[in-house]
mmCIF file of all heavy atoms in Angstrom:
data_model
loop_
_atom_site.group_PDB
_atom_site.id
_atom_site.type_symbol
_atom_site.label_atom_id
_atom_site.label_comp_id
_atom_site.label_asym_id
_atom_site.label_seq_id
_atom_site.Cartn_x
_atom_site.Cartn_y
_atom_site.Cartn_z
ATOM 1 N N VAL A 155 -18.580 4.495 -5.028
ATOM 2 C CA VAL A 155 -17.734 4.321 -6.212
ATOM 3 C C VAL A 155 -16.847 3.082 -6.062
ATOM 4 O O VAL A 155 -16.146 2.951 -5.047
ATOM 5 C CB VAL A 155 -16.827 5.560 -6.410
ATOM 6 C CG1 VAL A 155 -15.923 5.382 -7.618
ATOM 7 C CG2 VAL A 155 -17.674 6.825 -6.566
ATOM 8 N N PRO A 156 -16.853 2.177 -7.040
ATOM 9 C CA PRO A 156 -15.869 1.094 -7.031
ATOM 10 C C PRO A 156 -14.479 1.683 -7.283
ATOM 11 O O PRO A 156 -14.263 2.351 -8.305
ATOM 12 C CB PRO A 156 -16.299 0.195 -8.191
ATOM 13 C CG PRO A 156 -17.719 0.594 -8.484
ATOM 14 C CD PRO A 156 -17.809 2.048 -8.149
ATOM 15 N N ALA A 157 -13.568 1.481 -6.356
ATOM 16 C CA ALA A 157 -12.209 2.016 -6.521
ATOM 17 C C ALA A 157 -11.528 1.321 -7.694
ATOM 18 O O ALA A 157 -11.675 0.117 -7.884
ATOM 19 C CB ALA A 157 -11.415 1.808 -5.239
ATOM 20 N N ARG A 158 -10.803 2.100 -8.488
ATOM 21 C CA ARG A 158 -10.091 1.505 -9.625
ATOM 22 C C ARG A 158 -8.762 2.208 -9.848
ATOM 23 O O ARG A 158 -8.497 3.278 -9.302
ATOM 24 C CB ARG A 158 -10.952 1.544 -10.885
ATOM 25 C CG ARG A 158 -11.275 2.919 -11.424
ATOM 26 C CD ARG A 158 -12.214 2.799 -12.623
ATOM 27 N NE ARG A 158 -12.355 4.035 -13.363
ATOM 28 C CZ ARG A 158 -13.218 4.997 -13.085
ATOM 29 N NH1 ARG A 158 -14.036 4.866 -12.049
ATOM 30 N NH2 ARG A 158 -13.276 6.096 -13.817
ATOM 31 N N ASN A 159 -7.963 1.621 -10.699
ATOM 32 C CA ASN A 159 -6.615 2.109 -10.943
ATOM 33 C C ASN A 159 -6.626 3.282 -11.927
ATOM 34 O O ASN A 159 -6.130 3.190 -13.048
ATOM 35 C CB ASN A 159 -5.747 0.959 -11.488
ATOM 36 C CG ASN A 159 -4.280 1.327 -11.531
ATOM 37 O OD1 ASN A 159 -3.824 2.211 -10.811
ATOM 38 N ND2 ASN A 159 -3.523 0.663 -12.393
ATOM 39 N N ASP A 160 -7.209 4.385 -11.480
ATOM 40 C CA ASP A 160 -7.311 5.599 -12.301
ATOM 41 C C ASP A 160 -7.180 6.795 -11.368
ATOM 42 O O ASP A 160 -8.157 7.256 -10.771
ATOM 43 C CB ASP A 160 -8.648 5.618 -13.042
ATOM 44 C CG ASP A 160 -8.761 6.767 -14.040
ATOM 45 O OD1 ASP A 160 -8.140 7.828 -13.791
ATOM 46 O OD2 ASP A 160 -9.487 6.628 -15.039
ATOM 47 N N TYR A 161 -5.972 7.278 -11.239
ATOM 48 C CA TYR A 161 -5.643 8.311 -10.251
ATOM 49 C C TYR A 161 -6.526 9.547 -10.397
ATOM 50 O O TYR A 161 -7.133 10.019 -9.428
ATOM 51 C CB TYR A 161 -4.174 8.694 -10.398
ATOM 52 C CG TYR A 161 -3.640 9.576 -9.283
ATOM 53 C CD1 TYR A 161 -2.937 9.029 -8.210
ATOM 54 C CD2 TYR A 161 -3.826 10.956 -9.303
ATOM 55 C CE1 TYR A 161 -2.449 9.827 -7.184
ATOM 56 C CE2 TYR A 161 -3.345 11.763 -8.283
ATOM 57 C CZ TYR A 161 -2.654 11.198 -7.235
ATOM 58 O OH TYR A 161 -2.182 11.987 -6.220
ATOM 59 N N GLU A 162 -6.613 10.081 -11.603
ATOM 60 C CA GLU A 162 -7.353 11.321 -11.812
ATOM 61 C C GLU A 162 -8.849 11.147 -11.557
ATOM 62 O O GLU A 162 -9.508 12.036 -11.018
ATOM 63 C CB GLU A 162 -7.106 11.855 -13.226
ATOM 64 C CG GLU A 162 -5.681 12.358 -13.451
ATOM 65 C CD GLU A 162 -5.277 13.448 -12.457
ATOM 66 O OE1 GLU A 162 -6.120 14.316 -12.147
ATOM 67 O OE2 GLU A 162 -4.121 13.424 -11.996
ATOM 68 N N ALA A 163 -9.401 9.992 -11.949
ATOM 69 C CA ALA A 163 -10.825 9.741 -11.726
ATOM 70 C C ALA A 163 -11.133 9.641 -10.237
ATOM 71 O O ALA A 163 -12.143 10.176 -9.758
ATOM 72 C CB ALA A 163 -11.255 8.462 -12.435
ATOM 73 N N MET A 164 -10.270 8.959 -9.481
ATOM 74 C CA MET A 164 -10.475 8.832 -8.045
ATOM 75 C C MET A 164 -10.327 10.187 -7.353
ATOM 76 O O MET A 164 -11.084 10.520 -6.428
ATOM 77 C CB MET A 164 -9.481 7.822 -7.441
ATOM 78 C CG MET A 164 -9.607 6.400 -8.000
ATOM 79 S SD MET A 164 -11.230 5.629 -7.693
ATOM 80 C CE MET A 164 -12.090 5.982 -9.245
ATOM 81 N N LYS A 165 -9.386 10.979 -7.810
ATOM 82 C CA LYS A 165 -9.193 12.320 -7.258
ATOM 83 C C LYS A 165 -10.420 13.197 -7.519
ATOM 84 O O LYS A 165 -10.912 13.893 -6.622
ATOM 85 C CB LYS A 165 -7.946 12.953 -7.885
ATOM 86 C CG LYS A 165 -7.669 14.377 -7.428
ATOM 87 C CD LYS A 165 -6.435 14.922 -8.133
ATOM 88 C CE LYS A 165 -6.221 16.396 -7.820
ATOM 89 N NZ LYS A 165 -5.047 16.949 -8.556
ATOM 90 N N LYS A 166 -10.930 13.130 -8.731
ATOM 91 C CA LYS A 166 -12.070 13.987 -9.102
ATOM 92 C C LYS A 166 -13.321 13.649 -8.296
ATOM 93 O O LYS A 166 -14.072 14.542 -7.878
ATOM 94 C CB LYS A 166 -12.365 13.865 -10.599
ATOM 95 C CG LYS A 166 -13.417 14.861 -11.089
ATOM 96 C CD LYS A 166 -13.563 14.822 -12.597
ATOM 97 C CE LYS A 166 -14.409 15.981 -13.102
ATOM 98 N NZ LYS A 166 -15.688 16.149 -12.402
ATOM 99 N N VAL A 167 -13.565 12.358 -8.090
ATOM 100 C CA VAL A 167 -14.782 11.983 -7.362
ATOM 101 C C VAL A 167 -14.728 12.477 -5.917
ATOM 102 O O VAL A 167 -15.752 12.875 -5.348
ATOM 103 C CB VAL A 167 -15.029 10.458 -7.442
ATOM 104 C CG1 VAL A 167 -14.143 9.675 -6.503
ATOM 105 C CG2 VAL A 167 -16.489 10.142 -7.155
ATOM 106 N N ILE A 168 -13.540 12.509 -5.331
ATOM 107 C CA ILE A 168 -13.398 13.056 -3.979
ATOM 108 C C ILE A 168 -13.619 14.566 -3.996
ATOM 109 O O ILE A 168 -14.310 15.124 -3.141
ATOM 110 C CB ILE A 168 -12.010 12.715 -3.385
ATOM 111 C CG1 ILE A 168 -11.874 11.204 -3.186
ATOM 112 C CG2 ILE A 168 -11.804 13.448 -2.057
ATOM 113 C CD1 ILE A 168 -10.489 10.756 -2.765
ATOM 114 N N GLU A 169 -13.055 15.227 -4.993
ATOM 115 C CA GLU A 169 -13.204 16.679 -5.094
ATOM 116 C C GLU A 169 -14.657 17.092 -5.314
ATOM 117 O O GLU A 169 -15.094 18.142 -4.840
ATOM 118 C CB GLU A 169 -12.342 17.214 -6.246
ATOM 119 C CG GLU A 169 -10.850 17.131 -5.980
ATOM 120 C CD GLU A 169 -10.012 17.526 -7.188
ATOM 121 O OE1 GLU A 169 -10.467 17.303 -8.338
ATOM 122 O OE2 GLU A 169 -8.900 18.049 -6.990
ATOM 123 N N PHE A 176 -15.750 4.269 -1.104
ATOM 124 C CA PHE A 176 -15.064 3.489 -2.127
ATOM 125 C C PHE A 176 -15.158 2.012 -1.761
ATOM 126 O O PHE A 176 -14.636 1.585 -0.730
ATOM 127 C CB PHE A 176 -13.591 3.894 -2.239
ATOM 128 C CG PHE A 176 -13.362 5.260 -2.804
ATOM 129 C CD1 PHE A 176 -13.108 6.337 -1.969
ATOM 130 C CD2 PHE A 176 -13.411 5.472 -4.176
ATOM 131 C CE1 PHE A 176 -12.889 7.605 -2.483
ATOM 132 C CE2 PHE A 176 -13.202 6.738 -4.704
ATOM 133 C CZ PHE A 176 -12.943 7.812 -3.857
ATOM 134 N N VAL A 182 -6.389 -1.402 -4.837
ATOM 135 C CA VAL A 182 -5.746 -0.139 -5.228
ATOM 136 C C VAL A 182 -5.496 0.747 -4.010
ATOM 137 O O VAL A 182 -5.509 1.969 -4.116
ATOM 138 C CB VAL A 182 -6.598 0.624 -6.280
ATOM 139 C CG1 VAL A 182 -6.595 -0.096 -7.611
ATOM 140 C CG2 VAL A 182 -8.018 0.853 -5.787
ATOM 141 N N LEU A 185 -2.699 3.459 -4.338
ATOM 142 C CA LEU A 185 -3.106 4.565 -5.200
ATOM 143 C C LEU A 185 -4.047 5.506 -4.443
ATOM 144 O O LEU A 185 -3.907 6.731 -4.511
ATOM 145 C CB LEU A 185 -3.781 4.044 -6.468
ATOM 146 C CG LEU A 185 -4.293 5.085 -7.468
ATOM 147 C CD1 LEU A 185 -4.116 4.595 -8.902
ATOM 148 C CD2 LEU A 185 -5.781 5.414 -7.237
ATOM 149 N N MET A 186 -4.999 4.939 -3.711
ATOM 150 C CA MET A 186 -5.948 5.762 -2.965
ATOM 151 C C MET A 186 -5.241 6.592 -1.893
ATOM 152 O O MET A 186 -5.582 7.758 -1.668
ATOM 153 C CB MET A 186 -7.021 4.879 -2.327
ATOM 154 C CG MET A 186 -7.940 4.177 -3.314
ATOM 155 S SD MET A 186 -8.794 5.299 -4.442
ATOM 156 C CE MET A 186 -9.600 6.417 -3.303
ATOM 157 N N VAL A 189 -3.657 9.595 -3.576
ATOM 158 C CA VAL A 189 -4.666 10.617 -3.894
ATOM 159 C C VAL A 189 -5.015 11.415 -2.636
ATOM 160 O O VAL A 189 -5.080 12.658 -2.659
ATOM 161 C CB VAL A 189 -5.940 9.965 -4.473
ATOM 162 C CG1 VAL A 189 -7.057 10.995 -4.596
ATOM 163 C CG2 VAL A 189 -5.655 9.332 -5.824
ATOM 164 N N LEU A 193 -4.514 15.534 -1.717
ATOM 165 C CA LEU A 193 -5.650 16.385 -1.349
ATOM 166 C C LEU A 193 -5.634 16.765 0.140
ATOM 167 O O LEU A 193 -6.550 17.449 0.610
ATOM 168 C CB LEU A 193 -6.960 15.658 -1.673
ATOM 169 C CG LEU A 193 -7.209 15.353 -3.157
ATOM 170 C CD1 LEU A 193 -8.464 14.504 -3.315
ATOM 171 C CD2 LEU A 193 -7.318 16.639 -3.963
#
Side-chain angles (χ1 to χ4, degrees):
V155 179
R158 65 184 192 274
N159 190 23
D160 187 330
Y161 190 97
E162 291 303 320
M164 299 299 96
K165 178 181 174 183
K166 187 173 191 310
V167 78
I168 295 173
E169 291 174 329
F176 291 99
V182 291
L185 179 144
M186 294 303 305
V189 171
L193 296 174

